[in-house]
Amino acid sequence: MKCIMPCLALLVVAQWSAAEEPKQLKDVAYGDHPRQVLDFYQAESDKPTPVVFYIHGGGWQAGDKKTNPKAFLDKGISVVAINYRYVQNGVKDNVKPPVKAPLEDAARALQFVRSKAAEWNLDKQRIGATGGSAGACSSLWLALHDDMADPKSDDPIARQSTRLYCAAVNGAQVSLDPQELREWMPNYRYGAHAFGLPNFQSLFDNRESVLKWIKEYSPIEHVSKDDPPIALFYGGEVPAVGASPKDPTHSGIMGLKLAERLQAADVDVVLVHPGTSDPKFKNSTAYLIDRLTN
């Protein structure tokens, strides 16, 4: 009988400690589709943490949210990694244009995360997006688009903001406009699937018929002076507008053009590509840690 109180005390401490363990949640649904799920990695902190919002690449046609959050968790930054509907899911669900499915899923996932701020101990203001290729394009679209919150909605998630604190991306596509892309890079040929078209030439030939969609879903079209800080990281060759790079889909030429537009709007932008001398930030991870913790 003598051990009852000490044992109860130990049990209470054990339960408290377990409750305080940082959360790692897998496949949390933010929508009804099987791909509308996210993983959450909670940083250990006694105050609300910043968040890295990771969007995987894969041309909006493949890929998965699996990621290693350790570099951010070690710095007190929580991580959310999302899956989203592919363009082929959009086609199947009669979403027009198909790219609306992955991009608006990203916005909805971001709103869902903000709705969990109190429960997950998150600073809902300090959220930085990241990703590569199509995930980078999605991140930029979120960062540059006007807020898509609907304050009058009956849905509390839809009332949450879609604006970001910053974005740091790798190999981003910045435009879906075939005309300007061909002007920047004569050998460019990516993006027709975003609009349900079979190849780049068909997108080029039918540009006028999908121009309203191009304007809506191209990140560069949404640049304005109130946009958050942006960091763009590219590999490949030293970018030169008008060249035909080996990998036009991920070329730093697009970074040059977006940075030009951002600078004209007086938006804080960092551009790192082959030929950049002594960059302050070597990669997107270093940028996000600096921006989200200072």
Side-chain angles (χ1 to χ4, degrees):
M1 295 297 292
K2 292 181 179 179
C3 76
I4 289 177
M5 292 307 295
C7 289
L8 283 173
L10 287 170
L11 180 60
V12 169
V13 170
Q15 288 176 334
W16 181 86
S17 298
E20 295 298 310
E21 283 293 310
K23 293 182 176 70
Q24 287 201 12
L25 307 177
K26 299 289 187 177
D27 295 325
V28 178
Y30 65 87
D32 296 329
H33 193 276
R35 286 204 49 83
Q36 291 173 323
V37 293
L38 58 82
D39 295 343
F40 172 58
Y41 305 89
Q42 186 179 49
E44 190 171 357
S45 177
D46 58 1
K47 61 183 180 179
T49 68
V51 183
V52 164
F53 187 78
Y54 170 67
I55 309 175
H56 72 77
W60 298 310
Q61 301 175 98
D64 182 77
K65 58 184 165 53
K66 185 177 180 181
T67 190
N68 183 352
K70 186 177 186 304
F72 297 115
L73 297 179
D74 286 349
K75 297 296 184 178
I77 301 170
S78 296
V79 175
V80 169
I82 73 166
N83 277 353
Y84 48 82
R85 288 173 295 168
Y86 299 135
V87 289
Q88 57 266 37
N89 299 128
V91 171
K92 184 177 179 181
D93 295 343
N94 200 33
V95 176
K96 294 181 180 178
V99 75
K100 179 178 180 178
L103 288 181
E104 296 197 2
D105 279 6
R108 177 68 179 186
L110 176 58
Q111 292 175 306
F112 176 84
V113 170
R114 279 204 163 99
S115 77
K116 291 287 189 179
E119 181 182 342
W120 290 355
N121 193 35
L122 307 178
D123 181 343
K124 66 195 311 184
Q125 301 303 317
R126 297 172 79 88
I127 302 179
T130 191
S133 192
C137 185
S138 297
S139 296
L140 290 177
W141 183 76
L142 281 177
L144 303 176
H145 201 287
D146 289 344
D147 200 334
M148 291 171 272
D150 180 0
K152 297 180 180 180
S153 176
D154 293 334
D155 176 5
I157 294 175
R159 296 197 292 266
Q160 296 289 334
S161 174
T162 60
R163 293 295 267 168
L164 289 165
Y165 188 75
C166 63
V169 296
N170 304 294
Q173 295 87 43
V174 307
S175 173
L176 299 175
D177 186 342
Q179 182 172 295
E180 69 179 352
L181 287 162
R182 276 279 169 87
E183 290 171 358
W184 301 344
M185 292 172 279
N187 67 333
Y188 200 87
R189 55 187 179 275
Y190 175 83
H193 64 296
F195 305 106
L197 294 169
N199 54 58
F200 190 85
Q201 190 59 48
S202 67
L203 175 58
F204 192 89
D205 294 341
N206 292 282
R207 176 179 180 271
E208 291 303 317
S209 67
V210 297
L211 189 57
K212 67 176 182 179
W213 291 340
I214 289 170
K215 298 290 187 184
E216 171 58 24
Y217 295 107
S218 293
I220 198 169
E221 297 291 339
H222 295 283
V223 171
S224 56
K225 64 182 180 181
D226 62 343
D227 289 335
I230 303 293
L232 307 165
F233 296 85
Y234 289 90
E237 305 101 315
V238 175
V241 176
S244 292
K246 291 178 181 177
D247 181 10
T249 306
H250 306 101
S251 172
I253 292 170
M254 289 183 286
L256 290 176
K257 298 306 291 186
L258 180 58
E260 181 182 280
R261 189 79 62 91
L262 290 166
Q263 288 163 350
D266 202 27
V267 176
D268 188 324
V269 58
V270 169
L271 173 61
V272 179
H273 57 70
T276 302
S277 59
D278 195 26
K280 179 180 179 181
F281 302 103
K282 300 295 186 184
N283 52 49
S284 58
T285 298
Y287 178 92
L288 287 165
I289 290 171
D290 181 83
R291 178 64 65 172
L292 290 172
T293 59
N294 292 315

